[in-house]
Amino acid sequence: MRFSLIILFAVSVLAFGACTKKTNSNEILVGQFGSMTGAEATYGISTDKGVRLAIDAKNAAGGVKGKKIKLITLDNQGKPEEAAAVVKKLITQDGVLAILGEVASTRSLAAAPIAQQHKIPMISPSSTNIKVTQVGDYIFRVCFIDPFQGSVMAKFTHNNLKLKKVAVLKDLKADYSLGLAQFFVAKFKELGGTIVAEQTFQSGDSDFKAQLTQIRGSAPDAIFIPAYYTEVGLIARQARQLGLKAVLLGGDGWDSPKLFEIGQAAVEGGYFSNHYATESNNPATIAFIKNFKAKFNETPDGLAAAGYDAAMVLIAAMEKTTELTSTNIRDELAKTTGFDGATGKITINKDRNADKDAFIVQVTGKALKFIALIGP
Amino acid sequence: MKMWRGWLLVIAAALVVSTVSEFALNAYLQQILYYIAINIMLAASLNLVSGFCGQFSLGHAGFMAVGAYVSALISLNFQPFADPHFAFPFYALAGGLCAAAAGFLVGMPSLRLRGDYLAIVSLGFGEIIRVVLLNLEVVGGARGLYGIPGASDFWACFHMFFWAGATILLLWRLVHSSYGRAFLSVREDEIASECMGINTTRIKVKAFVISSFFAGAAGALFAQTTNSLNPASFQFVKSVDVVIMMVLGGMGSLTGSIVGAVLVTILPEALRPLQEYTGVDLRMVIYSATLIFLMIWRSEGLLGSREWTWFWRQRAARS
Amino acid sequence: MEELIQHIINGLNLGAIYALIALGYTMVYGVLQLINFAHSEVYMVGAFASYYGARQFGLSDNPGWASFFIALLISVVTCSILGLLIERFAYRPLRGAPKLNTLITAIGVSLFLQFAGQVVFGADPKVFPEVLRDQPLFTYGEIQVQLFDVTILSVAVAVMFLLNYFIQHTKIGLAIRAVSFSNRSATLMGINVNTIIMVTFVVGSSLAGIGSVLVGLKYPKIDPLMGTLIGLKAFVAAVLGGIGNLPGAVVGGLLMGLSEEMVVGYLSSTYRDALAFGLLILVLLFRPSGLLGQMKVEKV
């Protein structure tokens, strides 16, 4: 008995030692962390596809400074503490030079301090919560931030759709949802509209009838649901079941092929702000969509485009460095100006956020119809 | 003099581990070492109340959460000590005491119940603590607390293992005292021990409070090593984790708790390469399958209720 | 006022689902004195079974009562088989062991199914096929009552009556009652305890299977973790009504649904889950036998 214990111990320790990977100096190690499994799995999977499209294309063209880029992707299962753990592993165990990730602001916030502490640049493709880049000067993002997104939706609702009474239904568990709701409400009130109701739910809930019944009582013209697609679909259905005819509005969390699958006719006609639109005239966007379709046989969503852009911006920065160190990459990232991305022109400003336009799209069946482009 | 032997051993062990950690391991492996220390404390404290006293508690994560949040709040808002030698013991004590108070509040009404019902009520309390934390804005609600200044150097490691060792030592002394015999008697036959004059309710509450104290101390130390706290880390699954550690090692064996804690902490990380190669996360599947097999084929766990001294004695008896 | 009535309707619907699942918990506890934690996972597997079955047979292409019953059948059969397997391989070996071991095993089985489900089905949510079209049955002012809601409620109540008849007025029911009273004496009377326990599990799991299809229709998003919370709340409902008591399970379920709806509607959604546990604790502390249960005296 005691012997087998010792064996068990020894095996574990050995397995441990074997975990430390050997680095190949002919490769550039880049880490990616995302939610490949879990409730928001399509986010991680889409982003990963965009990232891989960029990196594989670059490797096929000869790599950066003659070296191939090796992408190490770890799944955080949609949990913030896993995000922190995998990022720590990527940095200290695998020795990556830079990190790409994450989509959800909560998980980016969990991982960013670790990247900052170890001075490894981290680029988030689509985390929009304002706090993410505030963690430190090694944290970047290639998308717009919630203060902008919230006010874009507020302006669109008030000025374009001409709706004055809006109810808000937000997700208590997501920083993204709370931040976006906060800025929408502030801007909407500033423009003269009224917020007739504010209700909350938690990601993972499946029944929203209680909150929707309360909202119904306040007779809104529109309901702003700044949440992730998994809940939005169900909320939309239940809203229609309760007889609510209000227009549904949301943010980039709606962007997923599953949204229409779950919500069906209930989400039809809903508007949300997104990082890009498939009908854009931008040549970079058109080229990206063409290459993506050739490689993966499907139309890319906003997250894939954002992932692609994040990887491309990183590659561009790596090309510009004299020597490939994390600090140099970081400095070059900060100097990115007018980069032609699939989601538009990317300029990293002094807060390490990107000043970009927001696309307003409408859910029309399985496709998204481009409605408007609103700039900063 | 005999009393000091234990403490010397603990300090020496902690020093050894910290030296190894500081000079031979990278940050990722160090983090795992910290988790081992914390898990030892959790498993041992759960063993006190479930293994030795027979009161099956499924809400251990709740007490850990209390300790963790108390420690995080204090270090975020007040920063009383910069010196880790004072900081760590202070946080551990603070977290432990608050968790002990919570344990008292939870234990008093629940310990009238038996077996299944107690398990469910403890589960309920663990979840209630988590939901309350989820809703309190002052602790960050659903988003949790960020930017907790912690420490992760040589002395941090030392303190963590010192506390882990101290937990084992104190619980060992407790279990090998008359209190310990009272716990065991309550476990074996509650009605008989009442007849023998043992105030079973009081004993059970004592076990509960002491176990919660150490769980809270573990949580407090946990908060000091991670940068951010989230109520999602303290769900029912965490309580089950601790149960697995305790059961794997052997309910009623403190050495077993150490073994169980180490194995359960290392196993998911050792299996991570498997996950990377196959692309599927089999760790939790293996985890739970282990629990089932354990309960069916070797319900006493790896060590049963034996301690490492048993092996010594066996050796001595044979020679 | 209209709002309140809508809330009551919503609450009853929610409660009916809890009631269906609670019936499964209560049956198994009554016979084995075991909290079958795996019940909620059996429920989840049933939902996925109908999901895959419906896709295989193209059921969502012709929605209607026929497709609905086929989906139901697939789910019930799968759940029963799964329930039997769990009983045979996880619970039966522990028949004589201390209660604690069985409890831990039950938790282990539950977790195993959850995580295996994530691996096999994928952790991302899937959309349950629409094998039946939902329609508003009647509308009174702003109050809407949907077909599904009425279906779920009537199924729950019908099942309760059927089950009650089964337990109280049939021979097998008599045998089940005997086994739940005393395992040993029932064996002495010539009852094959193993068979009876298998029957109990089949019945309980079938209920889970029915529940899963109904819930899948109402809330089309299904994922491997869908059973956990709903299972826990259904268990609380069973305890609330008196565990081991069939009408109690239904009453408990309806009460849970109503109170949850009221709390979320009038207070805040944040306390939704805490309510379940709070109720559980209050019940266990002040009336452990539940609303409709009877006190059991423990003899030395």
Side-chain angles (χ1 to χ4, degrees), chain B residues 129-196:
Chain B
I129 293 178
R130 182 184 65 86
V131 172
V132 165
L133 285 171
L134 198 64
N135 292 313
L136 281 179
E137 264 317 301
V138 70
V139 294
R143 288 112 62 224
L145 289 171
Y146 292 113
I148 304 166
S152 48
D153 54 356
F154 177 78
W155 287 116
C157 188
F158 170 74
H159 276 280
M160 296 198 64
F161 276 91
F162 175 72
W163 269 90
T167 308
I168 298 283
L169 183 66
L170 289 169
L171 288 177
W172 182 289
R173 295 258 165 88
L174 188 65
V175 160
H176 286 87
S177 70
S178 58
Y179 277 115
R181 284 194 287 279
F183 292 149
L184 290 172
S185 74
V186 167
R187 175 184 79 186
E188 295 301 325
D189 192 330
E190 215 168 306
I191 298 177
S193 53
E194 274 279 1
C195 295
M196 288 282 116

Side-chain angles (χ1 to χ4, degrees), chain C:
Chain C
M1 192 56 210
E2 277 198 354
E3 216 174 73
L4 182 64
I5 298 183
Q6 182 72 60
H7 275 308
I8 293 180
I9 295 179
N10 296 343
L12 285 176
N13 295 325
L14 205 52
I17 297 170
Y18 292 147
L20 266 177
I21 304 175
L23 281 168
Y25 274 114
T26 224
M27 278 204 76
V28 172
Y29 191 87
V31 168
L32 275 181
Q33 275 79 54
L34 159 74
I35 303 169
N36 184 11
F37 276 101
H39 192 65
S40 44
E41 269 55 55
V42 169
Y43 156 87
M44 176 269 290
V45 171
F48 275 93
S50 343
Y51 169 75
Y52 285 114
R55 287 192 357 163
Q56 184 78 341
F57 299 122
L59 290 177
S60 48
D61 298 331
N62 3 312
W65 289 103
S67 306
F68 172 66
F69 278 113
I70 298 177
L72 209 58
L73 193 66
I74 299 174
S75 175
V76 165
V77 167
T78 317
C79 285
S80 309
I81 296 177
L82 186 60
L84 280 175
L85 285 173
I86 295 176
E87 194 278 317
R88 176 67 189 80
F89 291 110
Y91 297 153
R92 199 184 292 187
L94 292 169
R95 209 57 84 66
K99 282 286 162 55
L100 195 59
N101 296 8
T102 335
L103 190 67
I104 300 180
T105 311
I107 297 177
V109 174
S110 161
L111 285 180
F112 177 76
L113 285 173
Q114 267 179 40
F115 293 115
Q118 284 192 321
V119 169
V120 171
F121 304 133
D124 48 312
K126 306 228 183 324
V127 184
F128 196 81
E130 209 181 358
V131 292
L132 191 64
R133 282 267 151 77
D134 195 10
Q135 309 141 18
L137 269 192
F138 58 90
T139 329
Y140 179 75
E142 282 232 322
I143 304 169
Q144 296 247 350
V145 179
Q146 299 268 330
L147 173 68
F148 284 166
D149 301 335
V150 172
T151 317
I152 297 180
L153 195 54
S154 27
V155 167
V157 173
V159 161
M160 179 193 88
F161 280 115
L162 274 173
L163 221 58
N164 212 26
Y165 177 80
F166 177 66
I167 300 281
Q168 299 290 342
H169 298 285
T170 63
K171 246 181 138 185
I172 300 187
L174 185 61
I176 294 180
R177 274 184 290 144
V179 171
S180 71
F181 193 77
S182 167
N183 213 327
R184 292 239 194 96
S185 318
T187 327
L188 290 173
M189 291 290 125
I191 296 174
N192 187 339
V193 170
N194 282 340
T195 319
I196 294 299
I197 293 182
M198 289 204 306
V199 169
T200 315
F201 265 86
V202 166
V203 173
S205 309
S206 316
L207 292 175
I210 299 176
S212 69
V213 172
L214 290 173
V215 170
L217 283 175
K218 189 160 189 267
Y219 306 112
K221 176 190 79 158
I222 59 172
D223 69 88
L225 296 179
M226 67 192 269
T228 336
L229 204 53
I230 212 172
L232 221 43
K233 290 187 189 166
F235 176 70
V236 173
V239 170
L240 182 60
I243 195 145
N245 186 310
L246 289 175
V250 177
V251 166
L254 291 175
L255 272 176
M256 275 285 307
L258 277 169
S259 38
E260 195 177 307
E261 178 76 15
M262 295 304 166
V263 161
V264 174
Y266 291 117
L267 277 180
S268 159
S269 77
T270 50
Y271 290 104
R272 160 181 243 144
D273 297 338
L275 176 73
F277 296 111
L279 266 179
L280 175 71
I281 290 168
L282 283 174
V283 168
L284 282 178
L285 291 181
F286 296 113
R287 203 185 150 82
S289 55
L291 290 172
L292 299 182
Q294 295 139 331
M295 272 312 297
K296 273 211 182 107
V297 179
E298 187 175 332
K299 297 204 177 122
V300 187

Side-chain angles (χ1 to χ4, degrees), chain A residues 227-248:
Chain A
Y228 296 129
Y229 63 91
T230 30
E231 278 79 38
V232 172
L234 285 177
I235 294 174
R237 286 177 79 113
Q238 290 171 17
R240 299 299 182 229
Q241 279 175 2
L242 281 174
L244 270 166
K245 308 236 188 312
V247 174
L248 298 176

